[in-house]
């Protein structure tokens, strides 16, 4: 007799989604999270004075028209969204421009552009598959994209993939994101901000799981998945304070919790912390272990600031980007959460969130990271014309595991690891690094839906 029907590891959006749906389907479910708070990479904080900030720049592609919203409604929660951002403001030659006036097409170019959009809107899964292993740069070349129009596409595909160079971006993924946005939002890229920031999604998901009767344990790090032969039968969990000398000497005391179903809702780069990758001892097949080892370093990186100010620095409800920042030379992304939801800052106070998209290796050297952070700060001051005396705080952040598996050619669509572990029973995966398309939170949410469909049949 097992302790639970299902154990889900990781309380990010994917884990919360899988756990809630399993609990709703009548499975007694335990959700284990190693941090003291749920949310994972959608973590958020309430700062003294009433600012509500996320761990970095976060908007959710598709908003109420997407898979993240669907995940909520499936378990009885309706997230509240601020207005969509359906256009993009671009920074070029020392000024911000709105996308429409920046492009300036002739009538003939406009007609061609509309035809191209119609073509994208009718693409099907087989078309994305055909482009999954080819670059978006190749697609732009094939469609004769040049000048400012190409620059706008390059800004959008950089935002879609968090990869600076179009030759490194998977065309299948960019075209999929563009098709969804065209069909659901009549624009190539749409994004929305949940009221209250990311907690506006994570908070209701935590409530849903607990209201359905699920058990959420925070501060509980899973050390390993336990197998009997070729069947997952539970996990070993390290609970805080179980071994008083563990912190100094890293001897970990664990408890065994059993269930016939284990779902690992954590990115593939954490799998070797919970699964034995030794070919002689692992119940998982060698080809699969090798594939995970080969691709787990394929990540994307960001560095940026969350800035609280006494004056609004940009009042349009838009996403902003630039292909090259003045000093760092890196692509920039930014938006002002308070333009979408003034409730995330105290009265008379405003938020701007910025980031530079970078290769992980540029950020892993802390001295290089320090230099880039300083340059980025000077860039931001110049681009938004503000003085240090107007700043309440500027919280620096960076990540080298931003939004899942880097969406490069050969790493999207069917190239992503499957949701069911091969060669063993009772082990599944969910999250942005597994099967599922779309921008990161959308991909993670869709994988949670597909994972549960696959488990429940
Ligand atoms: C700074 C930043 C900005 C981003 N901006 C955007 C954006 O604008 N739009 C967008 O769509 N996406 C964005 N993303 C990506 C998005 O946040 C992620 O794709 C999404 O949150 C992934 O969800 P997940 O559930 O798959 O994984 P995670 O959120 O990583 O959840 C995994 C969970 O597993 C837990 N865990 C790991 N190991 C263990 C263990 N051994 N035991 C117990 N628990 C464990 C972790 O603590 C974590 O809570 C951003 C990410 C970052 C970091």
């Amino acid at each position: 007799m097992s302790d639970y029907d299902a154990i889900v590891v990781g309380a990010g959006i994917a884990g919360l989604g899988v756990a809630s749906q399993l609990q709703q389907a009548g499975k007694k479910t335990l959700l284990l999270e190693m941090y003291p708070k749920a949310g994972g990479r959608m973590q958020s904080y309430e700062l003294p004075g009433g600012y509500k900030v996320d761990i970095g720049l976060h908007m959710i592609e598709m908003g109420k028209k997407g898979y993240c919203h669907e995940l909520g409604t499936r378990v009885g929660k309706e997230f509240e969204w601020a207005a969509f951002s359906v256009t993009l403001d671009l920074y070029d030659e020392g000024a911000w421009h709105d996308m429409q006036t920046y492009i300036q097409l002739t009538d003939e170019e406009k007609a061609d552009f509309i035809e191209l959009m119609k073509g994208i809107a009718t693409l099907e899964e087989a078309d994305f598959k055909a482009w999954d292993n080819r670059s978006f740069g190749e697609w732009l070349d094939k469609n004769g994209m040049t000048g400012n129009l190409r620059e706008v596409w390059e800004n959008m595909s950089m935002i879609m993939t968090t990869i600076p160079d179009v030759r490194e971006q998977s065309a299948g993924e960019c075209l999929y994101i563009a098709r969804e946005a065209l069909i659901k939002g009549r624009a190539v890229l749409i994004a929305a901000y949940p009221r209250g920031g990311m907690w506006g999604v994570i908070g209701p998901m935590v409530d849903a799981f607990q209201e359905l009767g699920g058990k959420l344990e925070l501060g509980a790090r899973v050390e390993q998945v336990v197998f009997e032969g070729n069947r997952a039968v539970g996990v070993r969990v390290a609970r805080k304070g179980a071994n008083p000398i563990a912190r100094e000497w890293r001897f970990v005391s664990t408890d065994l919790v059993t269930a016939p179903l284990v779902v690992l809702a954590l990115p593939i780069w954490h799998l070797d912390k919970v699964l034995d990758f030794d070919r002689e001892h692992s119940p998982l097949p060698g080809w699969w272990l090798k594939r995970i080892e080969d691709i787990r370093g394929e990540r994307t990186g960001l560095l940026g600031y969350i800035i609280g100010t006494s004056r609004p620095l940009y009042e349009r409800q838009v996403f902003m980007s630039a292909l090259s920042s003045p000093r760092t030379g890196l692509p920039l992304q930014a938006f002002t959460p308070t333009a979408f939801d003034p409730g995330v800052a105290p009265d008379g106070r405003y938020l701007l969130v910025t980031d530079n998209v970078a290769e992980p290796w540029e950020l892993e050297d802390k001295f290089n990271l320090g230099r880039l952070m300083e340059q980025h700060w000077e860039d931001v001051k110049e681009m938004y014309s503000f003085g240090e005396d107007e700043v309440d705080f500027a919280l620096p952040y960076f990540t080298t595991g931003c939004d899942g598996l880097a969406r490069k050619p050969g790493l999207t669509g069917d190239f992503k690891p499957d949701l069911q572990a091969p060669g063993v029973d009772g082990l599944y995966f969910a999250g942005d690094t597994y099967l599922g398309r779309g921008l990161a939170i959308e991909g993670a949410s869709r994988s949670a839906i597909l994972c549960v469909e696959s488990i429940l049949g």
Side-chain angles (χ1 to χ4, degrees), residues 329-355:
L330 297 169
L332 172 114
Q333 307 183 97
F335 85 110
T336 44
T338 36
F340 290 88
D341 178 6
V344 291
D347 281 350
R349 289 292 189 268
Y350 306 89
L351 280 172
L352 168 71
V353 193
T354 69
D355 74 41

PDB file of all heavy atoms in Angstrom, residues 329-355:
ATOM      1  N   GLY A 329      25.833  46.195 -26.025  1.00  0.00           N
ATOM      2  CA  GLY A 329      25.710  45.647 -27.383  1.00  0.00           C
ATOM      3  C   GLY A 329      24.740  44.476 -27.441  1.00  0.00           C
ATOM      4  O   GLY A 329      24.556  43.862 -28.488  1.00  0.00           O
ATOM      5  N   LEU A 330      24.078  44.161 -26.314  1.00  0.00           N
ATOM      6  CA  LEU A 330      23.178  42.998 -26.259  1.00  0.00           C
ATOM      7  C   LEU A 330      21.734  43.429 -26.530  1.00  0.00           C
ATOM      8  O   LEU A 330      21.374  44.583 -26.269  1.00  0.00           O
ATOM      9  CB  LEU A 330      23.263  42.345 -24.866  1.00  0.00           C
ATOM     10  CG  LEU A 330      24.624  41.761 -24.478  1.00  0.00           C
ATOM     11  CD1 LEU A 330      24.643  41.407 -22.991  1.00  0.00           C
ATOM     12  CD2 LEU A 330      24.931  40.523 -25.321  1.00  0.00           C
ATOM     13  N   PRO A 331      20.891  42.499 -26.989  1.00  0.00           N
ATOM     14  CA  PRO A 331      19.478  42.833 -27.175  1.00  0.00           C
ATOM     15  C   PRO A 331      18.818  43.207 -25.842  1.00  0.00           C
ATOM     16  O   PRO A 331      19.161  42.635 -24.800  1.00  0.00           O
ATOM     17  CB  PRO A 331      18.864  41.545 -27.726  1.00  0.00           C
ATOM     18  CG  PRO A 331      20.001  40.742 -28.228  1.00  0.00           C
ATOM     19  CD  PRO A 331      21.186  41.112 -27.406  1.00  0.00           C
ATOM     20  N   LEU A 332      17.873  44.136 -25.920  1.00  0.00           N
ATOM     21  CA  LEU A 332      17.176  44.577 -24.705  1.00  0.00           C
ATOM     22  C   LEU A 332      15.689  44.217 -24.787  1.00  0.00           C
ATOM     23  O   LEU A 332      15.100  44.256 -25.861  1.00  0.00           O
ATOM     24  CB  LEU A 332      17.291  46.104 -24.570  1.00  0.00           C
ATOM     25  CG  LEU A 332      16.432  46.688 -23.438  1.00  0.00           C
ATOM     26  CD1 LEU A 332      17.309  47.283 -22.353  1.00  0.00           C
ATOM     27  CD2 LEU A 332      15.438  47.712 -23.937  1.00  0.00           C
ATOM     28  N   GLN A 333      15.132  43.849 -23.644  1.00  0.00           N
ATOM     29  CA  GLN A 333      13.676  43.683 -23.516  1.00  0.00           C
ATOM     30  C   GLN A 333      13.258  44.467 -22.271  1.00  0.00           C
ATOM     31  O   GLN A 333      14.015  44.516 -21.300  1.00  0.00           O
ATOM     32  CB  GLN A 333      13.285  42.232 -23.267  1.00  0.00           C
ATOM     33  CG  GLN A 333      13.846  41.233 -24.252  1.00  0.00           C
ATOM     34  CD  GLN A 333      13.339  39.828 -23.964  1.00  0.00           C
ATOM     35  OE1 GLN A 333      12.387  39.381 -24.574  1.00  0.00           O
ATOM     36  NE2 GLN A 333      13.970  39.141 -23.049  1.00  0.00           N
ATOM     37  N   ALA A 334      12.064  45.056 -22.293  1.00  0.00           N
ATOM     38  CA  ALA A 334      11.611  45.804 -21.116  1.00  0.00           C
ATOM     39  C   ALA A 334      10.106  45.998 -21.157  1.00  0.00           C
ATOM     40  O   ALA A 334       9.494  45.911 -22.220  1.00  0.00           O
ATOM     41  CB  ALA A 334      12.297  47.169 -21.072  1.00  0.00           C
ATOM     42  N   PHE A 335       9.516  46.220 -20.000  1.00  0.00           N
ATOM     43  CA  PHE A 335       8.146  46.714 -19.926  1.00  0.00           C
ATOM     44  C   PHE A 335       7.922  47.332 -18.557  1.00  0.00           C
ATOM     45  O   PHE A 335       8.738  47.156 -17.636  1.00  0.00           O
ATOM     46  CB  PHE A 335       7.119  45.616 -20.255  1.00  0.00           C
ATOM     47  CG  PHE A 335       6.725  44.731 -19.091  1.00  0.00           C
ATOM     48  CD1 PHE A 335       5.450  44.811 -18.550  1.00  0.00           C
ATOM     49  CD2 PHE A 335       7.616  43.820 -18.559  1.00  0.00           C
ATOM     50  CE1 PHE A 335       5.070  44.002 -17.495  1.00  0.00           C
ATOM     51  CE2 PHE A 335       7.247  42.993 -17.498  1.00  0.00           C
ATOM     52  CZ  PHE A 335       5.975  43.089 -16.970  1.00  0.00           C
ATOM     53  N   THR A 336       6.850  48.116 -18.456  1.00  0.00           N
ATOM     54  CA  THR A 336       6.565  48.788 -17.191  1.00  0.00           C
ATOM     55  C   THR A 336       5.319  48.135 -16.576  1.00  0.00           C
ATOM     56  O   THR A 336       4.197  48.413 -17.019  1.00  0.00           O
ATOM     57  CB  THR A 336       6.325  50.304 -17.422  1.00  0.00           C
ATOM     58  OG1 THR A 336       5.489  50.465 -18.561  1.00  0.00           O
ATOM     59  CG2 THR A 336       7.623  51.045 -17.659  1.00  0.00           C
ATOM     60  N   PRO A 337       5.503  47.248 -15.588  1.00  0.00           N
ATOM     61  CA  PRO A 337       4.355  46.565 -14.980  1.00  0.00           C
ATOM     62  C   PRO A 337       3.270  47.529 -14.509  1.00  0.00           C
ATOM     63  O   PRO A 337       2.074  47.248 -14.650  1.00  0.00           O
ATOM     64  CB  PRO A 337       4.981  45.816 -13.795  1.00  0.00           C
ATOM     65  CG  PRO A 337       6.403  45.588 -14.204  1.00  0.00           C
ATOM     66  CD  PRO A 337       6.781  46.784 -15.023  1.00  0.00           C
ATOM     67  N   THR A 338       3.671  48.706 -13.982  1.00  0.00           N
ATOM     68  CA  THR A 338       2.659  49.639 -13.449  1.00  0.00           C
ATOM     69  C   THR A 338       1.814  50.267 -14.553  1.00  0.00           C
ATOM     70  O   THR A 338       0.723  50.762 -14.281  1.00  0.00           O
ATOM     71  CB  THR A 338       3.326  50.734 -12.592  1.00  0.00           C
ATOM     72  OG1 THR A 338       4.596  51.091 -13.169  1.00  0.00           O
ATOM     73  CG2 THR A 338       3.549  50.266 -11.172  1.00  0.00           C
ATOM     74  N   ALA A 339       2.294  50.260 -15.819  1.00  0.00           N
ATOM     75  CA  ALA A 339       1.452  50.771 -16.908  1.00  0.00           C
ATOM     76  C   ALA A 339       0.300  49.793 -17.144  1.00  0.00           C
ATOM     77  O   ALA A 339      -0.771  50.178 -17.605  1.00  0.00           O
ATOM     78  CB  ALA A 339       2.273  50.938 -18.177  1.00  0.00           C
ATOM     79  N   PHE A 340       0.520  48.519 -16.831  1.00  0.00           N
ATOM     80  CA  PHE A 340      -0.524  47.490 -17.016  1.00  0.00           C
ATOM     81  C   PHE A 340      -1.380  47.357 -15.758  1.00  0.00           C
ATOM     82  O   PHE A 340      -2.590  47.214 -15.843  1.00  0.00           O
ATOM     83  CB  PHE A 340       0.123  46.144 -17.351  1.00  0.00           C
ATOM     84  CG  PHE A 340       0.740  46.112 -18.733  1.00  0.00           C
ATOM     85  CD1 PHE A 340       2.044  46.515 -18.943  1.00  0.00           C
ATOM     86  CD2 PHE A 340      -0.011  45.696 -19.824  1.00  0.00           C
ATOM     87  CE1 PHE A 340       2.607  46.510 -20.212  1.00  0.00           C
ATOM     88  CE2 PHE A 340       0.538  45.681 -21.098  1.00  0.00           C
ATOM     89  CZ  PHE A 340       1.856  46.087 -21.294  1.00  0.00           C
ATOM     90  N   ASP A 341      -0.741  47.347 -14.602  1.00  0.00           N
ATOM     91  CA  ASP A 341      -1.469  47.198 -13.344  1.00  0.00           C
ATOM     92  C   ASP A 341      -0.837  48.100 -12.281  1.00  0.00           C
ATOM     93  O   ASP A 341       0.160  47.718 -11.649  1.00  0.00           O
ATOM     94  CB  ASP A 341      -1.420  45.730 -12.878  1.00  0.00           C
ATOM     95  CG  ASP A 341      -2.128  45.543 -11.547  1.00  0.00           C
ATOM     96  OD1 ASP A 341      -2.745  46.515 -11.047  1.00  0.00           O
ATOM     97  OD2 ASP A 341      -2.056  44.424 -10.987  1.00  0.00           O
ATOM     98  N   PRO A 342      -1.422  49.301 -12.082  1.00  0.00           N
ATOM     99  CA  PRO A 342      -0.834  50.242 -11.100  1.00  0.00           C
ATOM    100  C   PRO A 342      -0.780  49.645  -9.694  1.00  0.00           C
ATOM    101  O   PRO A 342      -0.001  50.091  -8.853  1.00  0.00           O
ATOM    102  CB  PRO A 342      -1.779  51.447 -11.140  1.00  0.00           C
ATOM    103  CG  PRO A 342      -2.590  51.286 -12.381  1.00  0.00           C
ATOM    104  CD  PRO A 342      -2.628  49.826 -12.718  1.00  0.00           C
ATOM    105  N   GLY A 343      -1.580  48.592  -9.458  1.00  0.00           N
ATOM    106  CA  GLY A 343      -1.655  47.980  -8.129  1.00  0.00           C
ATOM    107  C   GLY A 343      -0.389  47.279  -7.678  1.00  0.00           C
ATOM    108  O   GLY A 343      -0.281  46.885  -6.518  1.00  0.00           O
ATOM    109  N   VAL A 344       0.608  47.112  -8.578  1.00  0.00           N
ATOM    110  CA  VAL A 344       1.833  46.415  -8.160  1.00  0.00           C
ATOM    111  C   VAL A 344       2.866  47.376  -7.560  1.00  0.00           C
ATOM    112  O   VAL A 344       3.988  46.972  -7.231  1.00  0.00           O
ATOM    113  CB  VAL A 344       2.472  45.577  -9.297  1.00  0.00           C
ATOM    114  CG1 VAL A 344       1.586  44.395  -9.634  1.00  0.00           C
ATOM    115  CG2 VAL A 344       2.753  46.420 -10.541  1.00  0.00           C
ATOM    116  N   ALA A 345       2.488  48.659  -7.407  1.00  0.00           N
ATOM    117  CA  ALA A 345       3.375  49.617  -6.725  1.00  0.00           C
ATOM    118  C   ALA A 345       2.515  50.497  -5.823  1.00  0.00           C
ATOM    119  O   ALA A 345       1.313  50.644  -6.064  1.00  0.00           O
ATOM    120  CB  ALA A 345       4.111  50.475  -7.753  1.00  0.00           C
ATOM    121  N   PRO A 346       3.120  51.073  -4.782  1.00  0.00           N
ATOM    122  CA  PRO A 346       2.338  51.977  -3.934  1.00  0.00           C
ATOM    123  C   PRO A 346       1.883  53.201  -4.741  1.00  0.00           C
ATOM    124  O   PRO A 346       2.454  53.473  -5.803  1.00  0.00           O
ATOM    125  CB  PRO A 346       3.338  52.396  -2.846  1.00  0.00           C
ATOM    126  CG  PRO A 346       4.585  51.627  -3.066  1.00  0.00           C
ATOM    127  CD  PRO A 346       4.520  50.934  -4.376  1.00  0.00           C
ATOM    128  N   ASP A 347       0.913  53.958  -4.214  1.00  0.00           N
ATOM    129  CA  ASP A 347       0.431  55.164  -4.922  1.00  0.00           C
ATOM    130  C   ASP A 347       1.597  56.092  -5.234  1.00  0.00           C
ATOM    131  O   ASP A 347       2.443  56.340  -4.374  1.00  0.00           O
ATOM    132  CB  ASP A 347      -0.571  55.931  -4.029  1.00  0.00           C
ATOM    133  CG  ASP A 347      -1.944  55.261  -4.074  1.00  0.00           C
ATOM    134  OD1 ASP A 347      -2.113  54.365  -4.935  1.00  0.00           O
ATOM    135  OD2 ASP A 347      -2.789  55.628  -3.245  1.00  0.00           O
ATOM    136  N   GLY A 348       1.630  56.603  -6.459  1.00  0.00           N
ATOM    137  CA  GLY A 348       2.682  57.565  -6.830  1.00  0.00           C
ATOM    138  C   GLY A 348       4.028  56.928  -7.082  1.00  0.00           C
ATOM    139  O   GLY A 348       5.038  57.629  -7.191  1.00  0.00           O
ATOM    140  N   ARG A 349       4.070  55.596  -7.172  1.00  0.00           N
ATOM    141  CA  ARG A 349       5.336  54.899  -7.426  1.00  0.00           C
ATOM    142  C   ARG A 349       5.167  53.987  -8.653  1.00  0.00           C
ATOM    143  O   ARG A 349       4.045  53.554  -8.962  1.00  0.00           O
ATOM    144  CB  ARG A 349       5.752  54.051  -6.220  1.00  0.00           C
ATOM    145  CG  ARG A 349       6.212  54.920  -5.039  1.00  0.00           C
ATOM    146  CD  ARG A 349       7.518  55.584  -5.435  1.00  0.00           C
ATOM    147  NE  ARG A 349       8.213  56.278  -4.388  1.00  0.00           N
ATOM    148  CZ  ARG A 349       8.076  57.581  -4.100  1.00  0.00           C
ATOM    149  NH1 ARG A 349       7.202  58.313  -4.747  1.00  0.00           N
ATOM    150  NH2 ARG A 349       8.808  58.150  -3.166  1.00  0.00           N
ATOM    151  N   TYR A 350       6.272  53.676  -9.341  1.00  0.00           N
ATOM    152  CA  TYR A 350       6.193  53.008 -10.647  1.00  0.00           C
ATOM    153  C   TYR A 350       7.284  51.954 -10.784  1.00  0.00           C
ATOM    154  O   TYR A 350       8.331  52.055 -10.135  1.00  0.00           O
ATOM    155  CB  TYR A 350       6.325  54.062 -11.763  1.00  0.00           C
ATOM    156  CG  TYR A 350       5.319  55.161 -11.588  1.00  0.00           C
ATOM    157  CD1 TYR A 350       5.635  56.282 -10.811  1.00  0.00           C
ATOM    158  CD2 TYR A 350       4.045  55.053 -12.120  1.00  0.00           C
ATOM    159  CE1 TYR A 350       4.699  57.271 -10.573  1.00  0.00           C
ATOM    160  CE2 TYR A 350       3.086  56.042 -11.896  1.00  0.00           C
ATOM    161  CZ  TYR A 350       3.424  57.144 -11.116  1.00  0.00           C
ATOM    162  OH  TYR A 350       2.483  58.109 -10.872  1.00  0.00           O
ATOM    163  N   LEU A 351       7.015  50.978 -11.645  1.00  0.00           N
ATOM    164  CA  LEU A 351       8.004  49.914 -11.884  1.00  0.00           C
ATOM    165  C   LEU A 351       8.409  49.865 -13.354  1.00  0.00           C
ATOM    166  O   LEU A 351       7.568  50.023 -14.252  1.00  0.00           O
ATOM    167  CB  LEU A 351       7.414  48.547 -11.522  1.00  0.00           C
ATOM    168  CG  LEU A 351       7.375  48.137 -10.053  1.00  0.00           C
ATOM    169  CD1 LEU A 351       6.578  46.837  -9.891  1.00  0.00           C
ATOM    170  CD2 LEU A 351       8.789  47.945  -9.496  1.00  0.00           C
ATOM    171  N   LEU A 352       9.692  49.625 -13.579  1.00  0.00           N
ATOM    172  CA  LEU A 352      10.215  49.313 -14.913  1.00  0.00           C
ATOM    173  C   LEU A 352      11.054  48.053 -14.744  1.00  0.00           C
ATOM    174  O   LEU A 352      11.832  47.950 -13.787  1.00  0.00           O
ATOM    175  CB  LEU A 352      11.112  50.454 -15.420  1.00  0.00           C
ATOM    176  CG  LEU A 352      11.965  50.157 -16.657  1.00  0.00           C
ATOM    177  CD1 LEU A 352      11.107  50.044 -17.916  1.00  0.00           C
ATOM    178  CD2 LEU A 352      13.025  51.246 -16.881  1.00  0.00           C
ATOM    179  N   VAL A 353      10.873  47.072 -15.638  1.00  0.00           N
ATOM    180  CA  VAL A 353      11.720  45.872 -15.588  1.00  0.00           C
ATOM    181  C   VAL A 353      12.449  45.769 -16.915  1.00  0.00           C
ATOM    182  O   VAL A 353      11.838  45.903 -17.982  1.00  0.00           O
ATOM    183  CB  VAL A 353      10.902  44.576 -15.353  1.00  0.00           C
ATOM    184  CG1 VAL A 353      11.833  43.432 -14.995  1.00  0.00           C
ATOM    185  CG2 VAL A 353       9.886  44.770 -14.275  1.00  0.00           C
ATOM    186  N   THR A 354      13.751  45.548 -16.843  1.00  0.00           N
ATOM    187  CA  THR A 354      14.562  45.504 -18.071  1.00  0.00           C
ATOM    188  C   THR A 354      15.369  44.209 -18.091  1.00  0.00           C
ATOM    189  O   THR A 354      15.606  43.606 -17.042  1.00  0.00           O
ATOM    190  CB  THR A 354      15.583  46.650 -18.079  1.00  0.00           C
ATOM    191  OG1 THR A 354      16.561  46.400 -17.061  1.00  0.00           O
ATOM    192  CG2 THR A 354      14.925  47.991 -17.846  1.00  0.00           C
ATOM    193  N   ASP A 355      15.750  43.792 -19.281  1.00  0.00           N
ATOM    194  CA  ASP A 355      16.797  42.766 -19.332  1.00  0.00           C
ATOM    195  C   ASP A 355      17.577  42.819 -20.630  1.00  0.00           C
ATOM    196  O   ASP A 355      17.118  43.386 -21.624  1.00  0.00           O
ATOM    197  CB  ASP A 355      16.275  41.354 -19.027  1.00  0.00           C
ATOM    198  CG  ASP A 355      15.447  40.714 -20.133  1.00  0.00           C
ATOM    199  OD1 ASP A 355      15.829  40.854 -21.303  1.00  0.00           O
ATOM    200  OD2 ASP A 355      14.438  40.055 -19.814  1.00  0.00           O
TER     201      ASP A 355
END
